[in-house]
Amino acid sequence: MERILVTGASGFIGSFIVEEALRRGMEVWAAMRKTSSKAFLQDQRIHFIQLDLADEGKLTEQLNGMHFDYVVHAAGVTKCLHEEDFHRVNTIGTQHLVNAIMACGMKLRRFVYLSSLSIFGPVHEQQPYQEIRDTDTPQPNTAYGRSKLAAEQWLDSLADQGVQLPYVILRPTGVYGPRERDYFMMAKSISQHVDFSVGFKQQDITFVYVTDVVQAVFLALDHGKTGRKYFLSDGQVYQSRAFSDCLQQALGHPWLLRVKAPLWLLRIVTCCGEYWGKLTGKITALNNDKYHILRQRNWRCDITPAIRDLGYHPEVQLEEGVRRSVAWYQENHWL
């Protein structure tokens, strides 16, 4: 039986990866923090392991004597109070995990790292917008994007150090679906009759449903080429109002007050949110990273390499994915 370790297993994407690995008959080890919730990890076949990604020595002890065929590194943070926290968790944590795996002498068949399209930042924002390709130079404009790019660059440097790690990097665009909380906030707002958006310049955006990300993960385990990086989306490009329109339809067409704010107002709000978060010690969604994410106008990306190399074919388009998400939110009393 193939053995797989999934980090960030209690998270949104990680929990779906665990479910698919179980469906495939794998022996699944779910890595998580002691304080993490097991709400979406109720299957009795799951093996749980606590891994301290902040301490390489301790991590090596925790993994010592274990063997895995595959590791999917989905652990990470998307919101932090301080920029250095992104680097500590997303970059250094990845380094610690790989170093511990190597120190334990594991011979992995594949290591899949979940990165993000956001490492490219505002590339090709001169209209008409062009697809972001893997030959473009990353220009991350968020702390999150910079930390993910640094982790990618470190993985790329391993071969020069004589370290043989069969890694594949996936770069999904905006991932949504059941259990996800950021897009859920938009659903909640629309259910309360307010649709808030920012910026008046055309915005081309892309999405990928969570099960299509999971599809790509397992294709990468089987067919991914070492060192290759793959963008993931549903293959379509949408305008800025598309997601809220799908939400409104899935919610039964509630009446809406549509508010479109200028970017300068968003800048003020997020600066205040950043300051308030540091003052109170509470992470807020309205921060500097959120400003740059909402400000970005071009989220097009080229998924041709994933289709060609992996056999990736997105199965869920936006309207259906939003319908499934809203149904789950309602069934689980989030809405």
Side-chain angles (χ1 to χ4, degrees):
M1 182 182 291
E2 295 174 320
R3 291 162 60 98
I4 184 171
L5 172 69
V6 181
T7 70
S10 64
F12 164 47
I13 300 175
S15 61
F16 278 96
I17 295 171
V18 167
E19 288 179 359
E20 178 62 17
L22 290 170
R23 192 188 69 79
R24 291 170 178 252
M26 291 176 152
E27 181 179 314
V28 182
W29 288 76
M32 52 198 299
R33 296 187 299 268
K34 186 176 181 179
T35 56
S36 297
S37 170
K38 295 181 181 178
F40 305 128
L41 301 172
Q42 295 296 310
D43 196 298
Q44 297 301 308
R45 294 171 293 173
I46 300 172
H47 302 271
F48 293 98
I49 181 172
Q50 292 179 25
L51 296 182
D52 187 354
L53 298 180
D55 187 327
E56 186 176 319
K58 186 175 180 180
L59 184 56
T60 303
E61 292 178 3
Q62 291 167 329
L63 290 174
N64 188 39
M66 304 199 72
H67 164 73
F68 300 105
D69 298 292
Y70 306 107
V71 173
V72 179
H73 185 32
V77 290
T78 58
K79 294 185 284 291
C80 290
L81 283 176
H82 306 286
E83 182 167 349
E84 56 268 24
D85 293 335
F86 285 104
H87 183 76
R88 177 178 53 81
V89 177
N90 295 340
T91 309
I92 302 302
T94 301
Q95 295 176 9
H96 287 171
L97 177 62
V98 172
N99 287 338
I101 288 170
M102 295 295 103
C104 292
M106 291 189 207
K107 302 296 182 183
L108 299 180
R109 292 166 60 180
R110 192 74 67 206
F111 179 96
V112 173
Y113 177 61
L114 285 181
S115 185
S116 171
L117 174 61
S118 66
I119 71 165
F120 280 85
V123 175
H124 301 314
E125 292 222 322
Q126 295 299 316
Q127 291 181 299
Y129 304 138
Q130 302 175 39
E131 289 182 330
I132 300 170
R133 303 178 184 274
D134 54 14
T135 53
D136 290 320
T137 301
Q139 303 171 22
N141 57 358
T142 62
Y144 171 73
R146 287 188 288 272
S147 69
K148 285 291 191 178
L149 177 60
E152 285 196 17
Q153 292 172 331
W154 183 82
L155 289 170
D156 289 339
S157 74
L158 292 176
D160 294 335
Q161 302 171 37
V163 177
Q164 301 300 313
L165 179 73
Y167 71 94
V168 175
I169 295 172
L170 300 179
R171 295 164 165 169
T173 184
V175 186
Y176 71 102
R179 308 173 192 170
E180 196 277 335
R181 293 186 178 277
D182 286 345
Y183 288 114
F184 161 70
M185 297 306 295
M186 187 186 299
K188 185 176 180 181
S189 177
I190 288 178
S191 72
Q192 297 172 345
H193 310 290
V194 177
D195 176 31
F196 180 81
S197 60
V198 294
F200 298 98
K201 185 179 177 182
Q202 176 183 323
Q203 184 180 45
D204 286 1
I205 51 181
T206 50
F207 300 98
V208 60
Y209 190 69
V210 61
T211 57
D212 281 329
V213 176
V214 174
Q215 174 202 158
V217 166
F218 285 88
L219 288 170
L221 293 180
D222 291 336
H223 308 299
K225 297 182 179 181
T226 296
R228 284 303 306 268
K229 305 167 181 69
Y230 301 101
F231 295 117
L232 302 176
S233 78
D234 67 7
Q236 304 297 317
V237 177
Y238 303 93
Q239 297 307 301
S240 54
R241 218 177 91 167
F243 202 88
S244 62
D245 285 346
C246 289
L247 282 170
Q248 185 183 25
Q249 178 180 334
L251 288 165
H253 296 281
W255 64 267
L256 278 183
L257 173 63
R258 295 189 182 272
V259 179
K260 184 179 282 289
L263 287 172
W264 63 262
L265 179 59
L266 175 67
R267 174 78 282 188
I268 293 173
V269 171
T270 54
C271 280
C272 292
E274 183 91 4
Y275 175 78
W276 180 253
K278 291 178 179 178
L279 187 67
T280 62
K282 296 180 180 179
I283 298 175
T284 173
L286 294 173
N287 52 36
N288 288 332
D289 267 16
K290 179 61 72 173
Y291 168 75
H292 290 294
I293 290 170
L294 293 176
R295 180 179 184 273
Q296 187 166 320
R297 300 287 97 179
N298 179 33
W299 290 96
R300 291 171 172 259
C301 59
D302 178 19
I303 66 171
T304 304
I307 294 172
R308 181 189 63 234
D309 294 354
L310 304 181
Y312 170 69
H313 290 286
E315 298 175 348
V316 182
Q317 300 301 306
L318 188 64
E319 183 176 340
E320 173 62 17
V322 169
R323 186 195 65 77
R324 294 184 190 182
S325 302
V326 168
W328 186 90
Y329 293 142
Q330 291 172 333
E331 289 167 5
N332 290 269
H333 309 293
W334 286 30
L335 285 175

